[in-house]
């Protein structure tokens, strides 16, 4: 890419390192940014910096939030005795969009994958077990239906079973290997309503 000056190349390179951005899109984005008014560029870069600096994990559910406790965990109208376990904050957002789930969440930030060397200690599983020492009625496992998601679901259910807390798994209306965030709300709701005991 030496037909561009150094700084333009650098900008294109940064964009192309983002997920889902190929070489062409990276160039388009770079030139778009260069054509943007200065204030807009400043606002974009400060939004990125501020989010990165201030966003942290919720003390209870470990979702990404800019407060110590996220709005869902803070909400007294939610049912704090039903915990839905999801792989990431995007999956949480997918279920929130349905507006039908009244419980709270637990965000694992990943799934167990022996192939990638990701074990139970690499996700927020210990933190979930600590939460279960409180009064909890049901844990709904809503990890993806990928191999990793299923492995994680099995592992968690085995861990929770001895505590006597009800463990359920969302129904597999969700396509195998499909990421929860791409699935429409009706399918998500059906998966939640059709959950089965583990
Ligand atoms: Zn929370």
């Amino acid at each position: 890419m030496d037909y561009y000056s150094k700084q333009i190349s650098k900008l294109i390179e940064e964009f192309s390192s983002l997920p889902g951005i190929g070489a062409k899109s990276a160039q388009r984005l770079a030139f778009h940014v260069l054509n943007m008014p200065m204030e807009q560029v400043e606002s974009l870069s400060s939004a990125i910096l501020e989010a990165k600096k201030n966003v942290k994990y919720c003390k209870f559910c470990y979702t990404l939030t800019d407060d110590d406790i996220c709005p869902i965990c803070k909400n007294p109208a939610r049912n704090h005795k039903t915990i839905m376990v999801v792989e990431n904050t995007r999956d949480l957002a997918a279920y929130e969009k349905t507006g039908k789930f009244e419980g709270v969440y637990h965000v694992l930030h990943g799934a167990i994958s022996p192939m990638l060397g990701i074990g139970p200690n690499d996700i927020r599983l210990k933190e979930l077990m600590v939460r279960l020492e409180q009064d909890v009625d049901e844990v709904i496992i809503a990890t993806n239906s990928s191999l990793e998601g299923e492995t994680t679901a099995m592992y968690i259910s085995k861990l929770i079973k001895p505590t006597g807390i009800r463990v359920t798994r969302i129904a597999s209306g969700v396509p195998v290997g499909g990421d929860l965030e791409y699935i429409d709300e009706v399918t998500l709701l059906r998966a939640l309503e059709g959950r089965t005991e583990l």
Side-chain angles (χ1 to χ4, degrees):
M1 237 183 267
D2 34 21
Y3 37 88
Y4 292 134
S5 75
K6 234 193 194 160
Q7 292 190 345
I8 297 175
S9 296
K10 171 83 179 139
L11 189 58
I12 295 172
E13 202 183 296
E14 291 294 339
F15 276 123
S16 57
S17 72
L18 299 174
I21 309 283
K24 268 194 186 158
S25 303
Q27 288 188 44
R28 203 177 314 126
L29 284 170
F31 286 106
H32 180 79
V33 166
L34 292 173
N35 283 322
M36 270 159 52
M38 190 50 112
E39 305 117 71
Q40 213 183 326
V41 177
E42 274 165 358
S43 157
L44 172 66
S45 60
S46 85
I48 295 173
L49 277 176
E50 289 306 304
K52 183 64 193 169
K53 268 190 237 154
N54 298 317
V55 169
K56 49 194 160 196
Y57 296 117
C58 168
K59 270 210 287 205
F60 296 117
C61 72
Y62 291 88
T63 194
L64 292 169
T65 177
D66 40 18
D67 257 326
D68 284 343
I69 301 168
C70 77
I72 298 169
C73 289
K74 235 186 243 170
N75 185 349
R78 305 286 296 225
N79 172 4
H80 292 256
K81 292 181 178 185
T82 300
I83 299 179
M84 186 193 284
V85 178
V86 292
E87 290 184 22
N88 55 50
T89 296
R90 297 188 311 273
D91 291 345
L92 176 156
Y95 266 101
E96 275 306 282
K97 256 189 258 160
T98 69
K100 292 277 160 58
F101 178 63
E102 279 156 8
V104 292
Y105 296 89
H106 187 85
V107 183
L108 295 171
H109 293 284
I112 297 170
S113 171
M115 289 240 302
L116 298 173
I118 301 169
N121 290 329
D122 300 314
I123 57 177
R124 301 278 182 173
L125 207 50
K126 271 186 295 228
E127 291 85 346
L128 172 65
M129 296 315 287
V130 170
R131 285 180 81 185
L132 299 186
E133 288 164 15
Q134 311 294 314
D135 191 11
V136 173
D137 291 336
E138 183 183 354
V139 174
I140 303 168
I141 305 178
T143 50
N144 293 339
S145 54
S146 59
L147 179 61
E148 292 78 15
E150 293 300 345
T151 307
T152 309
M154 281 303 128
Y155 189 91
I156 297 176
S157 84
K158 271 195 203 132
L159 219 53
I160 298 178
K161 270 285 157 79
T163 66
I165 296 168
R166 185 181 178 210
V167 189
T168 54
R169 174 87 174 110
I170 55 163
S172 52
V174 179
V176 172
D179 275 1
L180 276 186
E181 56 171 325
Y182 297 119
I183 292 158
D184 68 274
E185 288 155 37
V186 178
T187 310
L188 276 183
L189 268 184
R190 224 179 276 144
L192 178 60
E193 279 158 8
R195 66 187 184 273
T196 47
E197 303 282 334
L198 281 180

